[in-house]
C-alpha cells in the first residue's frame, strides 16, 4: 500500500493528510489539483473522478480503499546541487525535453548528478515559471508546473 495508515479525509478537513491525498490525486494524473491542505470542492471532485476511474464507490471521501488505490502521496524530494540518483536523472530528462522553446537552458546531460549545469537549467525553468529563482527543486518548483512532478515520476516521491 502506497499510503499506509492514513486517516479518512473529506470535505472540511485540513492538514498534512489532506496534502498527502492531494499530492496522490495530482499524480493520477490530475495535474490541475492544487496541494493546499484544504479539502474543498475541487479535492472532492478529483476524489470522485479517481474513484470512478478506479472502480471504487464514488463517495468523494478518501477512505482506506481509496488510499490503497492511490499512488503515493509522499512529498517529492528536495533536489539541489550535490543531489544524485534516479530522481535527478528523471528531472534532467524532463528539463532537457522541455527547454527547447520554453526556458532554453538544458542540464547538458542526463547523468543523475545535480551539478552546476542542472542548477542553471533549474534556475532558467524557475525564471520561466515566474517563481523564486534559487536553483533548488523544492515544493514551489514542483508546484510551478504540476506536469514537472508528474513527469519526473511518483516513484521518486519521498526519496
Amino acid at each position: 500500500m502506497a499510503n499506509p495508515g492514513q486517516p479518512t479525509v473529506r470535505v472540511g478537513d485540513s492538514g498534512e493528510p489532506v496534502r498527502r491525498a492531494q499530492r496522490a490525486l495530482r499524480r493520477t494524473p490530475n495535474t490541475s489539483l492544487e496541494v493546499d491542505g484544504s479539502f474543498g470542492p475541487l479535492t472532492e471532485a478529483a476524489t470522485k473522478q479517481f474513484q470512478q476511474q478506479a472502480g471504487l464507490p464514488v463517495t468523494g471521501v478518501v477512505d482506506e480503499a481509496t488510499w490503497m488505490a492511490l499512488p503515493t502521496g509522499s512529498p517529492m524530494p528536495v533536489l539541489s546541487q550535490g543531489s544524485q540518483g534516479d530522481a535527478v536523472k528523471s528531472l534532467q530528462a524532463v528539463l532537457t525535453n522541455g527547454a527547447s522553446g520554453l526556458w532554453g537552458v538544458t542540464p547538458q546531460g542526463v547523468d543523475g548528478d545535480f551539478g552546476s549545469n542542472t542548477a542553471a537549467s533549474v534556475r532558467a525553468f524557475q525564471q520561466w515559471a515566474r517563481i523564486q529563482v534559487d536553483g533548488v527543486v523544492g515544493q514551489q518548483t514542483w508546484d510551478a508546473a504540476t506536469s514537472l512532478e508528474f513527469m519526473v515520476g511518483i516513484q521518486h516521491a519521498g526519496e
Side-chain angles (χ1 to χ4, degrees):
M1 183 169 144
N3 299 289
Q6 294 302 308
T8 296
V9 291
R10 58 180 47 89
V11 171
D13 289 344
S14 61
E16 183 54 35
V18 173
R19 280 190 287 281
R20 185 179 187 97
Q22 290 169 328
R23 284 189 298 262
L25 287 163
R26 189 165 75 177
R27 296 170 183 162
T28 59
N30 187 340
T31 60
S32 63
L33 186 62
E34 182 180 352
V35 178
D36 63 4
S38 179
F39 200 123
L42 296 177
T43 303
E44 181 182 34
T47 301
K48 286 180 177 180
Q49 180 183 27
F50 172 76
Q51 289 169 328
Q52 184 173 18
Q53 291 171 345
L56 297 169
V58 180
T59 63
V61 174
V62 182
D63 56 12
E64 184 177 2
T66 305
W67 280 118
M68 287 176 51
L70 282 167
T72 181
S74 297
M76 291 295 287
V78 174
L79 303 176
S80 61
Q81 205 154 345
S83 296
Q84 296 180 329
D86 289 338
V88 173
K89 187 180 267 190
S90 295
L91 173 68
Q92 290 169 326
V94 170
L95 289 170
T96 298
N97 293 334
S100 178
L102 296 177
W103 52 89
V105 179
T106 71
Q108 298 182 20
V110 179
D111 60 6
D113 185 15
F114 196 125
S116 59
N117 292 328
T118 301
S121 184
V122 168
R123 284 192 298 276
F125 169 79
Q126 291 168 328
Q127 184 173 359
W128 171 82
R130 296 186 174 112
I131 60 172
Q132 178 183 347
V133 178
D134 60 6
V136 175
V137 183
Q139 196 59 53
Q140 183 184 37
T141 303
W142 292 122
D143 288 344
T146 55
S147 61
L148 182 65
E149 178 175 343
F150 178 72
M151 291 165 46
V152 169
I154 60 174
Q155 69 270 22
H156 302 297
E159 280 188 356

